[in-house]
């Protein structure tokens, strides 16, 4: 009996060892599975095709803007095509339709004409293309029809107000000849553009809100163009002479043109005349530093480009915008002789 029990115990131990050895073999394939799972969980590469429409390439501010856009987008792995509308809305409409036919993933559009916004929005909505509008703001009602559309820009009334504040910050608040009023000329951009309208209105409103009496000697359309700014200022200085105390320009390119005429007329900025612009172009910053411009207002092209790309990526990820919430603003910054160095490269 004892021999039988010993034999039985030996048999049980052998079977137990065999079972343990089988468990070890069946676990070996399991050790490889986590490595395979890690590989499948790597994030997908970022990218896509983006069409960018600029109203015209020879606009100094939009050159800075489009270069920033292209650099940011390409840095993120997008395939980018940037086209020049040549200040021709019909041509830009064709470019938008071509991008849609090509099947781009998203559009960034700087409209040639703000009045064409409704047509542009209808086109991209029909195609279902996520779209960011830049620099020229449509009305809230126009944008409300499409929830995959957003406008990125700045509040132009803020830039106009800051221009007026630059004049208010001068020792005589713009009244150089001491006659109790500020006599000015206004060199306006494209009056069809809301930025031109608001900068024109709010630059003067800042003065009147501060209790300063004003006199508009002339207001002329300069289409954001340096040569036109020079011609307009030359004509106004010839007509009104020393009556002109302040030259308001809706952008820096026209202000630099105006400066050429001011200097040709023997006038001295910040002594017998004041000159302000908007955009903080490098050329304007140099003139502010040299004392040849009273000041300018930073229209942050790089900041707006970054925000436009951020909003575009949100739209591509499925974000939508409710009516009345489709305008995203980047703040302007007042640039004076005291802080101009902070903005120079």
């Amino acid at each position: 009996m004892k021999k039988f029990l010993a034999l039985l115990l030996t048999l049980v131990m052998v079977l137990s060892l065999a079972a343990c050895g089988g468990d070890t073999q069946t676990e070996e394939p399991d050790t490889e599975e986590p490595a395979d799972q890690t590989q499948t969980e790597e994030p997908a590469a970022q990218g896509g095709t983006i069409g960018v429409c600029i109203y015209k390439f020879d606009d100094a501010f939009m050159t800075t803007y489009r270069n920033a856009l292209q650099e940011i987008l390409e840095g993120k792995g997008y395939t980018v095509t940037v086209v020049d509308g040549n200040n021709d809305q019909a041509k830009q409409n064709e470019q938008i339709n071509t991008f849609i036919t090509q099947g781009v993933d998203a559009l960034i559009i700087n409209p040639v004409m703000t009045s064409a916004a409704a047509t542009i929005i209808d086109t991209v909505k029909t195609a279902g293309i996520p779209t960011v509008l830049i620099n020229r703001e449509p009305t809230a009602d126009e944008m409300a029809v499409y929830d995959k559309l957003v406008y990125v820009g700045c509040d132009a009334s803020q830039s106009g107000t800051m221009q007026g504040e630059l004049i208010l910050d001068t020792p005589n608040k713009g009244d150089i000849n001491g006659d109790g009023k500020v006599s000015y000329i206004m060199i306006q951009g494209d009056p069809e553009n809301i930025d031109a309208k608001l900068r024109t209105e709010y630059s003067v409103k800042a003065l009147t809100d501060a209790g300063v009496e004003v006199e508009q000697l002339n207001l002329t359309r300069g289409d954001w163009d340096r040569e036109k700014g020079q011609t307009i200022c030359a004509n106004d200085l010839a007509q009104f002479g020393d009556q002109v105390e302040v030259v308001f320009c809706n952008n820096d390119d026209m202000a630099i043109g105006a400066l050429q005429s001011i200097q040709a007329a023997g006038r001295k900025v910040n002594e017998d005349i004041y000159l302000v612009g908007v955009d903080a172009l490098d050329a304007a910053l140099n003139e502010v530093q040299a004392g040849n411009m009273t000041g300018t207002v930073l229209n942050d092209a790089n900041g707006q480009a970054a925000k436009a790309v951020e909003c575009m990526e949100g739209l591509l990820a499925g974000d939508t915008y409710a009516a009345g919430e489709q305008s995203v603003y980047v703040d302007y910054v007042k640039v004076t002789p005291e802080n101009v160095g902070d903005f120079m490269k």
Side-chain angles (χ1 to χ4, degrees):
M1 183 66 177
K2 290 180 178 180
K3 289 181 179 180
F4 174 75
L5 290 173
L7 181 62
L8 181 62
L9 180 60
T10 300
L11 180 61
V12 169
M13 292 176 65
V14 170
L15 290 172
S16 297
L17 289 169
C20 290
D23 289 343
T24 301
Q25 292 174 355
T26 57
E27 289 175 1
E28 287 179 2
D30 294 339
T31 61
E32 297 178 0
E33 290 183 4
D36 292 337
Q37 292 173 357
T38 300
Q39 291 175 0
T40 59
E41 290 174 1
E42 289 182 357
Q46 192 172 20
T49 57
I50 311 300
V52 179
C53 299
I54 302 299
Y55 94 101
K56 67 173 183 174
F57 276 10
D58 61 359
D59 180 292
F61 173 72
M62 289 311 302
T63 296
T64 302
Y65 200 145
R66 65 182 166 88
N67 289 340
L69 272 175
Q70 188 158 4
E71 181 179 352
I72 295 169
L73 287 166
E74 290 179 348
K76 287 175 170 286
Y78 294 100
T79 300
V80 186
T81 302
V82 186
V83 294
D84 182 358
N86 291 124
N87 206 25
D88 182 339
Q89 188 60 61
K91 179 174 182 177
Q92 186 177 75
N93 291 344
E94 292 176 3
Q95 293 169 337
I96 293 168
N97 286 324
T98 298
F99 277 136
I100 292 171
T101 301
Q102 292 170 345
V104 296
D105 295 300
L107 287 166
I108 298 176
I109 302 173
N110 164 217
V112 172
M113 299 172 61
T114 309
S115 59
T119 300
I120 292 171
I121 294 168
D122 182 63
T123 299
V124 298
K125 178 186 177 184
T126 300
I129 304 292
T131 300
V132 180
L133 299 179
I134 59 172
N135 192 246
R136 294 182 173 182
E137 185 176 8
T139 67
D141 288 342
E142 288 171 333
M143 290 191 286
V145 302
Y146 187 37
D147 63 359
K148 292 183 181 179
L149 177 134
V150 62
Y151 169 78
V152 174
C154 297
D155 179 359
S157 63
Q158 183 186 50
S159 62
T161 298
M162 288 181 175
Q163 282 190 304
E165 289 172 350
L166 287 167
I167 301 304
L168 290 172
D169 290 341
T170 63
N172 46 31
K173 297 184 178 182
D175 183 13
I176 292 173
N177 60 22
D179 65 354
K181 62 184 178 184
V182 173
S183 300
Y184 70 90
I185 63 170
M186 179 72 66
I187 304 178
Q188 192 176 40
D190 175 1
E192 195 264 347
N193 186 321
I194 188 64
D195 284 9
K197 292 178 181 178
L198 293 177
R199 289 173 188 173
T200 297
E201 176 184 355
Y202 279 83
S203 56
V204 178
K205 186 175 185 297
L207 299 179
T208 57
D209 284 352
V212 175
E213 184 180 345
V214 299
E215 176 187 22
Q216 177 180 288
L217 298 173
N218 198 19
L219 183 155
T220 308
R221 171 176 178 163
D223 290 321
W224 315 109
D225 183 80
R226 183 176 301 192
E227 290 185 4
K228 290 184 179 180
Q230 180 181 8
T231 299
I232 292 166
C233 189
N235 290 340
D236 286 350
L237 290 176
Q239 180 177 354
F240 300 106
D242 292 344
Q243 287 181 263
V244 182
E245 295 170 296
V246 175
V247 179
F248 284 111
C249 297
N250 281 173
N251 77 340
D252 280 345
D253 240 15
M254 295 189 297
I256 293 168
L259 174 61
Q260 295 170 348
S261 294
I262 288 169
Q263 292 174 330
R267 305 285 293 272
K268 177 65 176 175
V269 173
N270 295 329
E271 291 185 11
D272 60 13
I273 195 168
Y274 295 118
L275 172 66
V276 292
V278 176
D279 283 339
L281 298 178
D282 288 346
L285 294 176
N286 290 334
E287 299 297 356
V288 173
Q289 186 180 56
N292 296 324
M293 283 181 62
T294 307
T296 184
V297 180
L298 173 65
N299 192 6
D300 188 0
N302 293 308
Q304 290 178 69
K307 180 60 71 174
V309 174
E310 177 186 326
C311 290
M312 181 206 75
E313 292 189 312
L315 291 170
L316 287 172
D319 289 353
T320 56
Y321 285 82
E325 299 178 0
Q326 291 171 281
S327 291
V328 177
Y329 294 127
V330 176
D331 280 338
Y332 287 99
V333 182
K334 190 162 48 176
V335 181
T336 68
E338 290 71 32
N339 70 359
V340 66
D342 297 338
F343 304 95
M344 301 184 74
K345 296 177 182 178

